[in-house]
Amino acid sequence: MKYHFDDSGATALNNLISNLKPSSIFVLTDDNTQKYCLPVLSTLTNFKFTNVNIKAGDKFKNLDTLSFVWQELMDYGADRKSLMINLGGGVITDIGGFAAATFKRGIKFVHIPTTLLGMVDAAIGGKNGVNFTGQKNQIGTIVPPEMLWIYPAFLKTLPPGEFDSGFAEMLKHGLITDVAYWNDLIRYYSAKDNGRLNSLIKKSVEIKDAIITKDPKEQNIRKLLNFGHTLGHGIESYMNYQKKVPVSHGKAVAVGMILAAFLSHKINKMPISEVDKIKNVINGIYPKLVFESDDILEIIHLLRHDKKNIKGKVLFVLLHKTGKAACDFEVPEKFILEAFDYYNK
Ligand SMILES: NC(=O)c1ccc[n+]([C@@H]2O[C@H](COP(=O)([O-])OP(=O)(O)OC[C@H]3O[C@@H](n4cnc5c(N)ncnc54)[C@H](O)[C@@H]3O)[C@@H](O)[C@H]2O)c1
């Protein structure tokens, strides 16, 4: 899909609005993006809008917040020609994309991601939705935005933990498609050479975009983007909603990638030296989580209810080697238990 990078996005957005001539414009924010990003957007663009604001955090990505957004659109007179601009991280683009895709059977919307995770992942590919009954992303659609504008300067106010959360998805892009990019990311992280960040963000956007362009409905290769997510989602849901220990999406995926790398060794004979490198790199960035045996059993239970399961089967994306992945591997439970043992050590 066509995306706009940096300052060029402001002109593109102003042009889009001149062409579409929406009857009204709504900008969806959360408490943080309202404070840090909305004033920046206002200085870069020149259209009038109504701000709809929700509380920050994945725990508010639910039906109550969705209803609130729909109600605000109704109360402020939105109609089928209204435009919605989603200014925020993955929570805002997920809930805002879903609210817009379903309001009056669908109004046009634009994504302006403000977190690293949003820029390299959540805002690309049209997936949107909300969590339901404490499980991640159970309700949603795949509808692409009218426009995607990546403006890395928003990252200046992003807390470091949130940056690392997005960085996990970039590492994933390297691990599944490109060993040279994976090594570039490791070098970038150890030197913290911020001058190179924009080009790395672009690379990740291109990797994800190339995959979803080939397979928008996740029939085949789009599944590769789930590397680390099968167990990662289980960990994220369990830690946040059952154990009540806050764990970000990125950190959960990072741990999921270590586990999936170990499973790649068991199933695909990926050399253990490569698995050890992945574990060391990831543990050097993300604080270790502690999993007791009860936690592991609960996470495995949640795995069975992942929305990606087909006919109740849990299928994994695994690596053959760093930079080369394949999907649809069934994994015996005993290997999953061994993978947690390997992580815990
Ligand atoms: N649709 C998809 O394809 C897809 C892919 C990956 C993740 N997701 C979803 O994305 C969500 C996670 O996204 P996220 O990590 O961006 O979380 P988020 O949207 O909750 O943002 C993280 C935190 O950063 C704050 N924030 C955002 N931009 C800021 C800025 N520029 N300065 C200061 N603070 C800022 C937010 O208010 C929030 O507190 C999850 O709900 C996940 O399920 C969706």
Side-chain angles (χ1 to χ4, degrees):
M1 94 167 274
K2 190 160 164 45
Y3 68 94
H4 299 273
F5 204 81
D6 231 343
D7 290 333
S8 71
T11 318
L13 182 56
N14 286 328
N15 289 344
L16 180 83
I17 289 169
S18 306
N19 293 337
L20 287 179
K21 299 188 181 39
S23 53
S24 51
I25 301 176
F26 292 84
V27 178
L28 181 67
T29 53
D30 67 23
D31 288 343
N32 295 316
T33 64
Q34 184 185 53
K35 182 171 170 196
Y36 297 113
C37 308
L38 195 55
V40 179
L41 181 69
S42 300
T43 59
L44 293 170
T45 52
N46 56 17
F47 51 84
K48 287 201 170 53
F49 60 84
T50 302
N51 177 210
V52 176
N53 189 62
I54 62 175
K55 291 198 181 83
D58 187 75
K59 71 169 190 263
F60 296 106
K61 200 178 88 175
N62 58 27
L63 289 181
D64 288 345
T65 310
L66 180 66
S67 274
F68 168 79
V69 174
W70 282 328
Q71 190 65 56
E72 290 277 282
L73 293 174
M74 293 283 244
D75 291 350
Y76 286 100
D79 60 29
R80 296 201 58 206
K81 288 271 290 168
S82 296
L83 177 71
M84 177 116 155
I85 298 178
N86 300 311
L87 179 70
V91 168
I92 287 293
T93 52
D94 270 13
I95 202 164
F98 189 60
T102 47
F103 185 75
K104 298 201 188 270
R105 300 206 177 90
I107 61 172
K108 292 195 161 66
F109 61 96
V110 168
H111 282 339
I112 310 180
T114 62
T115 60
L116 185 60
L117 185 122
M119 293 177 192
V120 300
D121 190 6
I124 308 167
K127 280 191 187 176
N128 57 49
V130 292
N131 305 330
F132 186 57
T133 62
Q135 289 185 61
K136 295 282 302 162
N137 305 327
Q138 295 294 303
I139 313 285
T141 62
I142 302 184
V143 180
E146 209 57 34
M147 176 185 154
L148 169 63
W149 174 15
I150 293 171
Y151 189 68
F154 282 131
L155 300 177
K156 281 183 202 148
T157 54
L158 194 68
E162 297 298 343
F163 183 92
D164 289 347
S165 185
F167 197 69
E169 300 295 341
M170 298 171 80
L171 292 171
K172 177 193 77 181
H173 292 147
L175 286 172
I176 62 172
T177 66
D178 188 338
V179 65
Y181 179 50
W182 155 255
N183 285 320
D184 258 5
L185 289 166
I186 298 172
R187 275 192 292 276
Y188 158 79
Y189 201 87
S190 46
K192 278 282 161 58
D193 174 6
N194 272 329
R196 298 193 48 241
L197 182 61
N198 283 10
S199 69
L200 296 171
I201 292 175
K202 270 190 185 163
K203 176 78 182 170
S204 263
V205 171
E206 278 156 19
I207 290 173
K208 177 155 184 187
D209 187 47
I211 291 175
I212 56 127
T213 303
K214 282 191 196 134
D215 178 22
K217 298 282 181 196
E218 200 165 311
Q219 301 300 303
N220 43 71
I221 63 162
R222 185 169 183 165
K223 291 184 204 167
L224 299 184
L225 293 167
N226 295 327
F227 179 69
H229 285 60
T230 312
L231 278 159
H233 273 160
I235 293 168
E236 189 182 3
S237 290
Y238 173 72
M239 296 304 265
N240 289 298
Y241 295 105
Q242 283 176 242
K243 203 166 185 196
K244 311 269 185 223
V245 174
V247 171
S248 71
H249 176 78
K251 197 192 290 177
V253 166
V255 176
M257 290 194 293
I258 297 177
L259 300 169
F262 181 81
L263 295 174
S264 305
H265 166 66
K266 296 300 281 186
I267 305 274
N268 285 342
K269 308 282 178 263
M270 175 155 131
I272 195 71
S273 57
E274 290 192 42
V275 182
D276 288 344
K277 179 171 173 184
I278 292 168
K279 181 176 166 182
N280 290 338
V281 168
I282 290 177
N283 280 342
I285 301 175
Y286 304 91
K288 258 193 106 179
L289 300 177
V290 178
F291 297 105
E292 312 289 346
S293 39
D294 284 354
D295 302 333
I296 297 167
L297 293 178
E298 287 292 337
I299 292 165
I300 292 174
H301 173 77
L302 280 177
L303 267 193
R304 299 191 205 291
H305 297 279
D306 193 294
K307 70 181 186 309
K308 293 191 169 105
N309 296 350
I310 309 286
K311 293 190 182 156
K313 273 191 192 162
V314 184
L315 296 173
F316 282 81
V317 177
L318 299 179
L319 303 177
H320 287 292
K321 59 181 182 177
T322 308
K324 189 166 178 2
C327 56
D328 293 341
F329 291 95
E330 272 191 79
V331 172
E333 189 165 316
K334 68 175 182 179
F335 286 173
I336 300 179
L337 295 170
E338 273 184 54
F340 274 102
D341 266 358
Y342 171 78
Y343 175 79
N344 274 341
K345 265 188 220 138

